[in-house]
Amino acid sequence: MERSARPTEVVPVTSPFASQNRPGVPPRLPTPPTGWPVGSYETYEEAQRAVDFLALEDFPVQDITVVGVDLMLVERVTGKLTWSRVLMTGAASGAWFGLFVGLLLTLFSPEPGVTVGPVLTGLITGVFFGLVFAAVGYGSARGKRDFQSASQLVAGRYDVLCQPKSAEKGRDLLAKLAMRPSNPGS
């Protein structure tokens, strides 16, 4: 018995890492931006104002990409660390976690209503462990980092790119925006 040859159907295999480049959907993997520059701004707020203006002018904003150029990691020192500050912060975070656990225990308690026992036990246990973990962490650093800080990723400038089909219109609209006096309140 002979089998007839049938054309095989090709079914695309999908994966969570596959980039499908659908309009309006950002790619799943990091990819370089595409488009033509239509504006460049010193702050993100200015770039955001430009895109907001384009949206108000019924511009197809799905063609826009804001790109931060010359990225910097900025660490701002917010204060000096001392044993008292470390222990207070550890106790406070432990208290919140302990309170949460205590409230969860009361939800699954066979007795109706909120009882003080599990909440108080969770709170005290949380404070204790918060103090211990904070002390161990700070003590193990041995004075190598005696300050608190907050880190932020910022750019030296923000370029607004647009797909070529709309770039000329985008440039014209942003030129009109540049001619307007800027309102700090808007």
Side-chain angles (χ1 to χ4, degrees), residues 14-159:
T14 60
S15 125
F17 301 108
S19 176
Q20 297 176 0
N21 293 336
R22 293 180 297 185
V25 178
R28 292 186 181 147
L29 288 177
T31 57
T34 60
W36 293 353
V38 294
S40 187
Y41 302 93
E42 289 184 21
T43 66
Y44 180 76
E45 185 179 28
E46 292 171 339
Q48 186 178 9
R49 179 176 176 248
V51 175
D52 285 340
F53 177 76
L54 291 174
L56 288 173
E57 295 291 321
D58 291 328
F59 185 83
V61 289
Q62 65 273 11
D63 291 349
I64 295 290
T65 303
V66 178
V67 179
V69 180
D70 298 329
L71 296 180
M72 301 174 260
L73 179 65
V74 178
E75 182 177 17
R76 291 184 173 86
V77 177
T78 58
K80 181 180 178 180
L81 277 183
T82 61
W83 273 105
S84 60
R85 180 175 274 183
V86 167
L87 294 177
M88 290 293 289
T89 304
S93 65
W96 278 113
F97 185 71
L99 183 64
F100 174 70
V101 170
L103 288 173
L104 280 179
L105 289 174
T106 60
L107 286 175
F108 298 107
S109 174
E111 298 177 23
V114 175
T115 58
V116 178
V119 173
L120 195 57
T121 302
L123 187 63
I124 292 169
T125 305
V127 168
F128 174 75
F129 280 107
L131 282 169
V132 169
F133 287 129
V136 167
Y138 185 63
S140 67
R142 293 190 180 109
K144 290 182 183 169
R145 188 174 166 95
D146 282 342
F147 60 90
Q148 286 179 305
S149 64
S151 295
Q152 187 178 35
L153 191 64
V154 294
R157 76 171 193 271
Y158 296 87
D159 291 341

